[in-house]
Amino acid sequence: MASIFQAVGAARALSSSNSFDSKKFYLTSRESVSERKGSIFVVRSDGRMNSGRVDKLVTNAVATKADSAAASTASKPGHELLLFEALREGLEEEMDRDPRVCVMGEDVGHYGGSYKVTKGLAPKYGDLRVLDTPIAENSFTGMAIGAAMTGLRPIVEGMNMGFLLLAFNQISNNCGMLHYTSGGQFTIPVVIRGPGGVGRQLGAEHSQRLESYFQSIPGIQMVACSTPYNAKGLMKAAIRSENPVILFEHVLLYNLKERIPDEEYICNLEEAEMVRPGEHITILTYSRMRYHVMQAAKTLVNKGYDPEVIDIRSLKPFDLHTIGNSVKKTHRVLIVEECMRTGGIGASLTAAISENFHDYLDAPIVCLSSQDVPTPYAGTLEEFTIVQPAQIVTAVEQLCQQ
Amino acid sequence: MSSAFSAINTVQRPPHASVSQENPSVSPLRSSLPFLGSNHKLRPNSLHKNGASIRRQSSIVAVSDVVKEKKTKSSSSLPNLLITKQEGLVLYEDMILGRAFEDMCAQMYYRGKMFGFVHLYNGQEAVSTGFIKQLKKEDCVVSTYRDHVHALSKGVPARAVMSELFGKTTGCCRGQGGSMHMFSGEHNVLGGFAFIGEGIPVATGAAFTSKYKREVLKEADCDHVTMAFFGDGTANNGQFFECLNMAALWKLPIIFVVENNMWAIGMSHLRATSDPQIYKKGPAFGMPGVHVDGMDVLKVREVAQEAVARARRGDGPTLVECETYRFRGHSLADPDELRDPAEKAHYATRDPITALKKYMIENNLVEEAELKAIEKKIDEVVEEAVEFAEASPVPVRSQLLENVFADPKGFGIAPDGRYRCEDPKFTEGTAHV
C-alpha cells in the first residue's frame, strides 16, 4: 500500500543527514505523501477532512544559512565518521580556531576521554589546554566558571552526566546566574557536556537523565545531540555561544556512523530538526528516543500512517516555531522522551504546547516517558522502564483514532 | 633573599606550632591578653601558652620572622618602622572607609533603605586592607556574602556599592545582585557569593586563567594573582579542600585567606572543627600555612606581601589564616546573643583602626589632625554615596530580562518564527517568557 522512498534533499528545513549509512531511516518526499493521502482519512472534530489550516503556517523564518546549505552539500562527498569522532572533530576545529578554548574533566587528557571524545587532543594541545582534573566535580566546574569569567572558554566534560549532580551547586548558582547577578559584567561562555541516558545495564546511578533537573535553571541553554551531523554542529555552536550551554550526549549513540560534510558548518542552538515530515501526527523526541521513534515510524508507515518526526534538539529553550508549525498542520502531538514521567522535558513541553497551541489540538497531548523508577540492572526490567517502539506505535494508533 | 615561605615542599605536619607570638621589640601592636571565647574550655592546650618560645617550622611561619627579615634589609632611617607615612595613610583611609561605610549600612538598613541579608565587616578591616592593598587592578578578588569592604578596598566606588545595596539601577550590578553579590568587571571583583565555599572554585578558576595566559597564550608578563576570602565555617567545606588540592597541584597563583572570626553565625569554630588550627591544613596539600593576627594591619600586610610575591613568582598558592573578629552580629538580622560579652570587649580593645592610629601617632608618622581630616573626608564620601543612591532611579521593568543571557537568543524562538528577544514587548519586559 504505502511505498517508501529514500529521497535526498527533499523537503525544506531538512537539516539532518540525508545519506544515512544505516538504511533504517527513510525520508519521504512531500510529493509522495500527498499521493497517499487518500488511503487514510482523519476526520477532525469539526467534520472537516485533514487539510490543515495553512493560513497560519509561517515559513521558517529563522533557518540559518548553515542548516539549509547542508541539504545542498549532500551531493558532495563528505567523510564518514562515528558520533564521538564528530564531537572530537568539532572540538578540535574550535580549539584550532580560538586558543582560549580549553577542556577540563576527568581523564580527558592522557586517557583520551572515557568515551574517546578527546582522544589525541592532549598530545596536540598540551596538558593545560586539555586538563586532567582530580575527582572533584563541583570544584572543577566552579573552576571552569571562574576561568570563563576571566576570559577563557572552557568545556567541562562530565565523565557521566550523572556525576554532574555533584556540580549542581556551581551549575545552578554560578553558571546560570552570575551573568545576571553581576548586572551583565561577566559572561560565562562554558560548555558542559557529557554522556547521559539509559545505557546497557549500567545500573541506576549511571543511567540518569539530568536534563530534567537542569531545565529550571535560568540563564543556561540545553541541547541534545543525536546524530554525528548535529553532534559536531551543536558542539561548535555551543563553544561559540556566549551563553553557558549544556550539551547532552547519550551513551548508546557514540558509535553511530554517518557521512558529514567536509565544509565547516554549525547547527543553530535554538532550532529543532525536522527528521521526517508528515501529515497525521507530530512526534516530538530527542536524543536516543529519536531512533526508537524512527523504528516505530517504519511500522507506522507500513500501517498507513504518516507521522511527522521532529527532533527537538534544543531542550531549553524549545523551538516553538518548528513545533508550532507542525502542530498546526497535524493537530496531534505525541512526545517520546527518555526522561522520567515526573517533571521531565516532556512534561514541560506538554505545558508549553498546551499554552501556545491549544486551539490547534484535536486530541490531548500524549507524552511517553520513562517510568519513575531507578533504572534497574536486569536487562528485562531496564527495557520496561524506557519507551519501546511498540508503545510508540500503539500510542500513535490510539491518538489517530480520536 | 630567603623568604620564610620558599623552603616549603614537605607535608611534614608540625606538632604544636604556636600561633603568632609577638616579639615586643618588633611590633608594638601586641596584645598580651589571651584569646577569650565563650567556649574557652574547649580550646586545645597549645593556644593557652603565653610567652612560649617560637618554634619555627618550615611551613608554619611566625610572622615576626618575616618582619625581622625585612627589617635587616631596610634602608630606612627609622629601622623600627614597618611603613612609611604615605603607606600608613593609605591603610588608614581604607580601613576608615570600610568602617564608616558599614556603619552607614546599618543605619540605612534600620531606616528601611536596604533589605534582605546584610553582613557587616566591622572589626575585620585589617584583613581586607592588609591584603587587597597589595594587589594591582588586574588581580582578582573573590569574597563571600561579607563583601562590601572587599569591594571598596579593591577600588569599587562607594556610591556604586551603596546604590547596589539600595537596589538602584546605578549600583555596581545594576541592582540585580544586592549585598551578597558585589561584582566589578573593571576592578576584577569576581563576587560576592551567598553560599559559602562557592567562590573558592571560581577564584581557583581565575588563578587558572592567569597561569593559562602565561603558559598557553604566551603572555609572558601575566602574573595576576587571585585572592579568595572566606570564613572559618567554610574551612570545613569540601570545596575548600578540593581547591586547596588543585591549586597546589597546578601551582596556581592564588592566596586563600581565611578570615577566622571564630563564629559561623552561632556556631563556634571550636564546636565545628576537629582541628581548629586551619593554617595547618595548608601543608597537608603541599602549600605553606600561615597564621597571622588579623587585628593588626601591619602584620597582615607583611604576610600578604610575601604571599603575593610568592604567587607572582609562580611558586604557587598560600593558605593564610587571619585571627580576627566581627564586632557586630553575623548579619543585621542576627541578635548576636550567643557570644560572650567579655569576648567582644576583649576584641574591642584590639580594634585595628585604633591600633594603627596609635602606631602612627606614637611613631610620629602623622599628626592627629591629619587623621581627623581623613575621617572627615571619608564621612563626606559616605554621605555622598548615600545621597547618590537615594537619588538614583530604581530599575524599570525593561531591565528584568536584560542580563539573563549574554546572547539573548538563548530565550528561544517564538511561535511566529522570530527570536523572542526581537519582540518589542520583550525588550519592554512585558512579554511572558
Side-chain angles (χ1 to χ4, degrees), chain B residues 113-129:
Chain B
K113 304 286 183 193
M114 58 179 84
F115 302 93
F117 292 127
V118 179
H119 308 82
L120 298 181
Y121 202 71
N122 297 46
Q124 300 182 196
E125 293 87 359
V127 179
S128 178
T129 299

Side-chain angles (χ1 to χ4, degrees), chain B residues 263-320:
Chain B
W263 291 91
I265 309 187
M267 187 64 164
S268 157
H269 177 57
L270 300 169
R271 287 182 69 220
T273 317
S274 57
D275 184 351
Q277 292 172 302
I278 302 170
Y279 64 96
K280 281 162 66 174
K281 300 180 187 184
F285 289 92
M287 69 177 79
V290 184
H291 182 282
V292 67
D293 177 2
M295 304 306 273
D296 179 349
V297 68
L298 299 177
K299 288 200 196 121
V300 170
R301 188 169 157 274
E302 296 292 335
V303 169
Q305 278 173 343
E306 182 59 46
V308 169
R310 192 182 132 76
R312 290 209 206 280
R313 276 195 307 266
D315 285 346
T318 315
L319 174 66
V320 184

Side-chain angles (χ1 to χ4, degrees), chain A residues 30-42 49-52 54 279-280 304 306:
Chain A
R30 298 187 64 69
E31 291 66 39
S32 57
V33 163
S34 47
E35 282 160 16
R36 291 186 296 106
K37 233 178 171 168
S39 55
I40 288 280
F41 290 105
V42 178
M49 295 301 226
N50 179 21
S51 55
V54 189
E279 294 286 322
H280 295 160
D306 187 24

Side-chain angles (χ1 to χ4, degrees), chain B residues 74-87:
Chain B
S74 165
S75 56
S76 135
S77 55
L78 298 161
N80 276 338
L81 289 183
L82 299 166
I83 45 168
T84 64
K85 171 176 175 173
Q86 231 14 69
E87 290 168 343

